[in-house]
Amino acid sequence: MSVKEPDLAGPAARNLEKPLNVQLSNWAVAYIKLHHCHWFVKGPEFQSLHAKFEELYDWAAEKLDELAERMLAIGLRPASTLKEYMSLAEIRESGDPSESATKMLEGAASDFGTMAKGLKAAAETAERNGDSATADVLNGQIEELEKQIWMLKATLSK
Ligand SMILES: [Fe+2]
């Protein structure tokens, strides 16, 4: 016996599926990329940066899950494979283990800026749909990204 899944997403919500999956993919790539930084960061600030990148990838995992579960709650299908994440993400991995700590911090700040910008556009679409609950989730993520960008830039300033 097959049970048809209820179609919770109206036509308005459907226009969010792709943009939200792009943002979800950004979180997934950020999660791995921040592990790369945690593992390969070098220099006199090793201890604090190693710990900071761990804090950031734990946070990225939380945001990934938050966004995917919000999508499920409004009847959308969150992307759930690395293949999808790699094809949809706007941010790119560096994969270079010899990258300097400064480059890693600058890269994270730049990625977070890209992610905040994409989330902002998605939040505007959600608002136009009358879905302010989804917009609230997205705006909350933007606020957290902006705080991290500020802290990364403060770490980088001489
Ligand atoms: Fe670790």
Side-chain angles (χ1 to χ4, degrees), residues 11-24:
R14 287 262 170 256
N15 64 1
L16 270 177
E17 191 166 79
K18 174 80 187 287
L20 292 185
N21 272 326
V22 171
Q23 298 317 306
L24 191 66

Side-chain angles (χ1 to χ4, degrees), residues 2 17 28 33 47-48 65-67 69 104 109 117 126 130-131 145 148-149 156:
S2 76
E17 191 166 79
K33 195 170 170 180
Q47 277 300 343
S48 66
D65 188 50
E66 176 183 61
L67 186 51
E69 292 184 355
M104 286 180 179
K117 197 171 157 217
D131 183 358
L145 282 160
Q148 293 297 348
I149 292 167
L156 282 161

Side-chain angles (χ1 to χ4, degrees), residues 137-152:
V137 171
L138 303 175
N139 284 323
Q141 296 198 344
I142 293 166
E143 186 188 338
E144 290 183 40
L145 282 160
E146 287 172 344
K147 184 174 179 181
Q148 293 297 348
I149 292 167
W150 158 59
M151 289 196 278
L152 290 168

